[in-house]
Amino acid sequence: MRLARSVLENATGNEIFAIIGILIFFSFFVGLIWWVVKLKSSKVKEFSRLPLDDDEEASASTDLDSSQSENKK
Amino acid sequence: MEIQKFTYDNKISRLFLNATIFWGIVAVLVGLLIAIELVFPKLTNGISFLSFGRLRPLHTNAAIFAFVGNAIFTGVYYSIPRLLKTPLYSQLLGKINFWGWQLIIVAAALTIPFGYTVGKEYAELEWPIDIAVTIIWIVFGLNLIMTTLKRRVKHIYVAIWFYIATFVTVAVLHVVNSINIPITFLKSYPVYAGVQDALVQWWYGHNAVAFFLTTPFLGLMYYFVPKAANRPVYSYRLSIIHFWSLIFLYIWAGPHHLLYSALPDWVQALGVVFSVMLIAPSWGGMVNGLLTLRGAWDKVRQDPVLKMFVVAITAYGMATFEGPLLSLKTVNAISHFTDWTIAHVHIGALGWNGMLTFGMIYWLMPRLYKTPLWSIKMANAHFWLATTGMLFFAVPLYFGGITQSLMWKQFTEEGFLKYPNFMETVVQIIPMYALRIFGGVLYVTGIILLIINVIKTAYAGNYVRFEEDEAPALPSKLTPEPGHRGLEARPVMFTIVALIVILIGGIVQFMPMFMIKTNVPTIEAVMPYTPLELHGRDIYVREGCYNCHSQLVRPFRSEVERYGDYSKAGETVYDHPFQFGSKRTGPDLARAGVAGSSVNKPNSWHLTHFEEPQKLIPQSIMPPYPWLLENVLDISTTAKKIRALQYLGHPYPDGFDEIANEDLMKQAAQIAGELRSGGFEIDDNREVIALIAYIQRLGYDISKPADQISVND
């Protein structure tokens, strides 16, 4: 902590922190894109279907027809 | 491969769903009440716990933590077992999570309106409740992580990444921002002071929006929108980029709440840059959500669930475009402290959070009760009431906010403020406040329809507590894979990486602010508060004055002209908590103690004004505070308060805690004596005397003659 304090207290111009921030994000983002592009398409398709695997029905979210007929009664 | 059978238990989800609806109606009704109070300020005349300053924090806390919080848990507890093909790790932990969270909400409702508050927005809860929140949050996180560890699928779906990031980040934000020194069981001071407290608070406040109102709901979006549309998310690759960019960028953007404040320029600039960059992932997510419905637009026309999801995602897009816009310094100069901000957050809360929650409830009910929704027509009516209600709420406030701000800034040709009387700018926008009430009524009516529909559906069907499912067992040893795939297979490692990503932003902004002295230049003339002023300050915090009055004069000609010298970082070093505020329903008070400022008034004026503001300003919308003139000031805690502040570095002399009350009584006798000689009947020991002492101190120190002030750069 003491070392960090002495480095920070002697730092000239705080703008360096802003530049460091942007640089960290830029490299992070480039790495991220690289990761994503490398993903196999077949796998990506498989992952994106994960919420749907347990679906018992293929209808719309609310059972429209039956509900509407119910209302008419 | 061996196929295993297992069951999902819907109990926890159903409990949370009921709580979401219950607290949802409570939150909007409290909101409606305070909206009405702004038009009829004497509505709750003299009832302290129903005054605007006490109820506004209750409304925000109820909306965020009770309504949205329970909605998050509903969706998370429903989706994680299904996405991971495994029962929940522990039903017991789930129950503790549920009852613990409800008790916390009840504790909040029993403390905030009664003035037990830390005085920091959305972090008002006092320290024992903060500790309870931490424990319950860890229970939730443990259940979440442990469930991912016993999953039967290799890949952890993107919705769960959002849940994990929510857990980790909210834990860090809550703990760091809630480090307080307890004075009594329900009173504490934040350890940070002034501008540093402001930086921590808005790092928290901004990211509470990001990681409580946004990331968990994005997780819900990535689960429930594909389910409701019965098609996979438009681009899974985009969802990965959305996730990582969003959590990385969000954490840096907090300082945009403090533009033109005493916060160092470089921190403000950093906040702006990252806020603008946030448009990219936010809109990536919005496009991803909307395009998931490609080819299903015919269903959207009929299905209230999908309609609500479309409005929710659109509102998310609007709010996340507006957010970066508001963080630009030129726009912020106009929007900050006005109702524009209120409109902005309600597009998020009523549109994004509200509509996604209602859609989720309408989707879940038929599944939890194995029966069609009781009335699709009624759900459609709710959709229209909520959508128009949101617009009737927001549009008048945009108009009112911009109008008022421009009036604040307008000069005559001779160079004087055109509207020097703050009240003129308030009167102008009262009709907008009335329209907002109408919007609120529509929105509340919609929720009442939802309640009827939910109850009727529940009665029509049979509650299905357990649901069977089966899946192949996951091999006990997974082959480690490189890169992101490997990370997804290791939830604990994933959690740690997410933690590191969100810590980077905080550390780069905080370390220099707390360690480099030049970031907070001290001012020698600024001295600690006297014991009486300190009590007065605590009353100011208790009454929630910061909900309507800022204490931050920005360096604009219009503000310096209206209030006095602009605010400096060094003025705030004895402020635990800071009281910059975020909204000016009334004028700024940072220069209330500076002779010559338009907000500087004699003690007698304050006394009458607190008793009934309308006696002095007939059009005022400030509520009366008669109890301040009746309540006897509790001075039993003075010594403890002084000792706590001495511990935090306030230069009170040694042993001052023992004689502080003598000092206090002397000052109170002087103020009350003057008032009595002016014909006012008031005892020395009333709370209002302390509050007047505090208000007369605001800005006083730096208004002393120049030779007494030295700025240490």
Side-chain angles (χ1 to χ4, degrees):
Chain A
M1 260 336 235
R2 190 173 290 173
L3 180 70
R5 186 182 287 271
S6 76
V7 169
L8 284 170
E9 280 185 354
N10 295 320
T12 51
N14 294 319
E15 295 76 18
I16 188 72
F17 292 99
I19 297 166
I20 291 172
I22 304 286
L23 280 180
I24 294 173
F25 175 71
F26 186 72
S27 24
F28 176 86
F29 192 73
V30 170
L32 178 63
I33 298 286
W34 180 74
W35 247 347
V36 171
V37 169
K38 274 191 63 178
L39 279 174
K40 270 191 202 156
S41 287
S42 58
K43 285 284 174 198
V44 169
K45 203 173 170 187
E46 180 193 321
F47 301 156
S48 68
R49 291 202 63 85
L50 273 172
L52 305 173
D53 280 350
D54 63 315
D55 251 8
E56 67 281 5
E57 75 255 79
S59 63
S61 59
T62 37
D63 206 337
L64 289 173
D65 299 334
S66 50
S67 175
Q68 271 162 357
S69 58
E70 194 97 336
N71 281 340
K72 281 174 195 161
K73 279 176 198 170
Chain B
M1 204 180 293
E2 182 206 355
I3 298 287
Q4 298 177 328
K5 283 186 189 293
F6 46 90
T7 47
Y8 303 125
D9 188 340
N10 289 327
K11 186 176 178 175
I12 307 290
S13 282
R14 190 177 75 140
L15 282 171
F16 275 117
L17 185 142
N18 294 339
T20 305
I21 299 172
F22 177 75
W23 294 118
I25 191 85
V26 171
V28 290
L29 284 177
V30 177
L32 191 59
L33 174 61
I34 58 173
I36 296 172
E37 284 183 1
L38 283 183
V39 182
F40 304 100
K42 287 163 84 175
L43 183 73
T44 58
N45 204 357
I47 307 172
S48 60
F49 57 86
L50 292 181
S51 65
F52 184 92
R54 303 261 192 108
L55 283 188
R56 193 259 182 176
L58 183 72
H59 166 62
T60 52
N61 278 276
I64 299 171
F65 301 109
F67 171 57
V68 173
N70 278 305
I72 294 169
F73 293 129
T74 306
V76 169
Y77 278 109
Y78 184 85
S79 60
I80 42 171
R82 288 166 173 83
L83 284 169
L84 299 168
K85 299 273 173 224
T86 177
L88 192 66
Y89 167 69
S90 163
Q91 282 293 117
L92 177 67
L93 288 181
K95 269 190 213 163
I96 295 173
N97 185 172
F98 175 78
W99 289 109
W101 198 253
Q102 309 317 312
L103 279 176
I104 286 165
I105 296 168
V106 171
L110 291 177
T111 52
I112 292 175
F114 299 95
Y116 299 104
T117 168
V118 177
K120 300 195 345 179
E121 284 179 72
Y122 330 123
E124 282 94 350
L125 298 177
E126 269 297 353
W127 66 274
I129 311 175
D130 277 342
I131 292 172
V133 170
T134 312
I135 294 167
I136 296 301
W137 195 253
I138 289 169
V139 166
F140 160 64
L142 187 68
N143 219 358
L144 173 67
I145 308 272
M146 292 307 285
T147 309
T148 61
L149 285 177
K150 50 174 266 196
R151 70 194 186 279
R152 288 190 179 81
V153 290
K154 203 163 163 186
H155 178 79
I156 299 176
Y157 184 67
V158 68
I160 296 172
W161 308 359
F162 280 103
Y163 302 157
I164 292 175
T166 300
F167 160 63
V168 171
T169 316
V170 170
V172 173
L173 294 167
H174 172 71
V175 170
V176 173
N177 192 44
S178 305
I179 303 177
N180 298 343
I181 294 199
I183 307 293
T184 62
F185 181 61
L186 285 173
K187 175 70 196 163
S188 62
Y189 289 139
V191 292
Y192 320 103
V195 73
Q196 289 175 338
D197 191 36
L199 179 66
V200 176
Q201 159 61 20
W202 283 113
W203 166 79
Y204 162 88
H206 172 75
N207 288 300
V209 175
F211 288 89
F212 206 86
L213 302 176
T214 308
T215 54
F217 268 62
L218 287 169
L220 300 183
M221 176 187 90
Y222 278 118
Y223 179 76
F224 286 101
V225 173
K227 290 295 271 187
N230 198 34
R231 57 197 63 227
V233 62
Y234 170 68
S235 165
Y236 198 75
R237 282 197 174 89
L238 184 55
S239 71
I240 297 177
I241 297 173
H242 180 199
F243 173 79
W244 286 110
S245 317
L246 196 82
I247 70 160
F248 193 106
L249 291 176
Y250 244 126
I251 207 86
W252 299 73
H256 70 207
H257 290 257
L258 295 164
L259 299 181
Y260 295 107
S261 73
L263 198 70
D265 273 351
W266 71 269
V267 186
Q268 295 186 31
L270 204 58
V272 173
V273 170
F274 276 90
S275 303
V276 172
M277 286 202 286
L278 258 173
I279 290 186
S282 302
W283 274 49
M286 174 191 69
V287 167
N288 214 0
L290 286 179
L291 286 182
T292 300
L293 300 169
R294 74 202 179 287
W297 289 100
D298 54 319
K299 281 190 209 165
V300 176
R301 282 213 315 276
Q302 303 161 7
D303 186 347
V305 172
L306 290 177
K307 270 191 228 178
M308 284 180 163
F309 285 167
V310 168
V311 170
I313 298 167
T314 311
Y316 172 62
M318 281 166 66
T320 54
F321 175 74
E322 198 185 13
L325 185 77
L326 293 175
S327 74
L328 297 175
K329 286 188 98 167
T330 41
V331 181
N332 195 271
I334 298 170
S335 73
H336 197 53
F337 291 135
T338 75
D339 285 296
W340 189 342
T341 315
I342 316 300
H344 167 64
V345 298
H346 281 85
I347 292 287
L350 302 176
W352 166 237
N353 297 116
M355 290 297 226
L356 202 87
T357 302
F358 303 143
M360 179 179 80
I361 291 172
Y362 285 125
W363 186 86
L364 278 172
M365 281 308 291
R367 280 154 187 84
L368 290 178
Y369 289 89
K370 281 285 175 268
T371 181
L373 194 65
W374 182 68
S375 170
I376 296 284
K377 269 188 195 159
M378 206 181 229
N380 275 322
H382 179 193
F383 166 79
W384 285 110
L385 283 168
T387 307
T388 48
M390 176 177 78
L391 293 175
F392 267 107
F393 187 104
V395 175
L397 289 191
Y398 283 123
F399 189 78
I402 294 169
T403 303
Q404 195 179 27
S405 182
L406 295 179
M407 287 176 85
W408 289 342
K409 288 172 184 296
Q410 202 165 350
F411 281 92
T412 62
E413 278 180 18
E414 293 77 28
F416 297 109
L417 282 173
K418 188 164 182 193
Y419 304 100
N421 183 353
F422 191 91
M423 203 57 229
E424 287 177 273
T425 72
V426 178
V427 171
Q428 193 70 27
I429 62 167
I430 298 281
M432 300 299 125
Y433 285 168
L435 270 176
R436 180 243 305 258
I437 296 174
F438 177 62
V441 169
L442 292 180
Y443 203 84
V444 169
T445 313
I447 299 182
I448 293 170
L449 295 190
L450 173 127
I451 294 172
I452 297 169
N453 217 347
V454 162
I455 293 174
K456 290 283 189 184
T457 307
Y459 274 114
N462 290 311
Y463 167 47
V464 186
R465 179 166 170 189
F466 298 103
E467 284 178 71
E468 303 283 330
D469 199 359
E470 56 181 37
L474 193 65
S476 56
K477 274 194 178 174
L478 288 170
T479 345
E481 290 186 63
H484 203 271
R485 295 290 316 285
L487 198 59
E488 290 149 27
R490 298 185 197 91
V492 175
M493 186 58 104
F494 182 91
T495 309
I496 294 168
V497 173
L499 177 67
I500 293 169
V501 167
I502 62 111
L503 281 180
I504 293 171
I507 290 169
V508 174
Q509 285 178 347
F510 283 4
M511 292 281 278
M513 261 305 281
F514 282 83
M515 302 184 92
I516 304 178
K517 282 182 188 159
T518 56
N519 275 320
V520 187
T522 50
I523 302 171
E524 272 184 23
V526 175
M527 302 302 288
Y529 294 105
T530 66
L532 186 68
E533 291 158 3
L534 191 62
H535 278 291
R537 188 169 207 280
D538 290 341
I539 292 168
Y540 184 96
V541 168
R542 181 189 79 190
E543 297 302 337
C545 304
Y546 63 90
N547 287 291
C548 292
H549 294 280
S550 55
Q551 283 187 23
L552 183 83
V553 180
R554 295 178 294 175
F556 301 144
R557 182 179 154 220
S558 58
E559 297 206 357
V560 172
E561 190 82 10
R562 183 182 297 277
Y563 302 114
D565 201 3
Y566 65 88
S567 299
K568 325 275 189 300
E571 285 181 69
T572 64
V573 292
Y574 301 121
D575 289 355
H576 298 264
F578 80 108
Q579 289 288 284
F580 289 177
S582 62
K583 175 73 175 62
R584 282 182 189 149
T585 305
D588 188 279
L589 297 178
R591 299 292 172 249
V594 179
S597 166
S598 68
V599 285
N600 181 242
K601 309 282 181 192
N603 292 348
S604 54
W605 186 94
H606 283 299
L607 186 72
T608 314
H609 190 247
F610 281 125
E611 190 183 17
E612 192 180 336
Q614 290 72 17
K615 275 187 187 168
L616 296 170
I617 310 165
Q619 296 145 316
S620 173
I621 58 169
M622 179 166 146
Y625 286 84
W627 61 90
L628 294 178
L629 282 73
E630 292 156 16
N631 290 359
V632 172
L633 183 68
D634 175 13
I635 55 170
S636 64
T637 53
T638 314
K640 278 185 190 165
K641 286 179 177 176
I642 297 290
R643 281 197 292 273
L645 293 175
Q646 279 175 324
Y647 177 78
L648 291 171
H650 291 212
Y652 293 111
D654 283 343
F656 185 69
D657 54 318
E658 297 299 332
I659 55 161
N661 273 336
E662 289 167 29
D663 183 288
L664 180 152
M665 285 187 265
K666 219 165 100 190
Q667 194 183 1
Q670 193 198 341
I671 295 172
E674 276 173 25
L675 284 166
R676 283 193 295 268
S677 61
F680 294 90
E681 274 184 39
I682 189 79
D683 292 338
D684 294 4
N685 61 0
R686 301 298 146 139
E687 288 186 336
V688 72
I689 301 295
L691 186 53
I692 291 174
Y694 170 63
I695 288 176
Q696 297 295 12
R697 179 69 188 275
L698 291 171
Y700 173 75
D701 287 4
I702 67 153
S703 69
K704 292 176 198 167
D707 56 359
Q708 288 183 30
I709 304 167
S710 76
V711 178
N712 174 21
D713 279 322

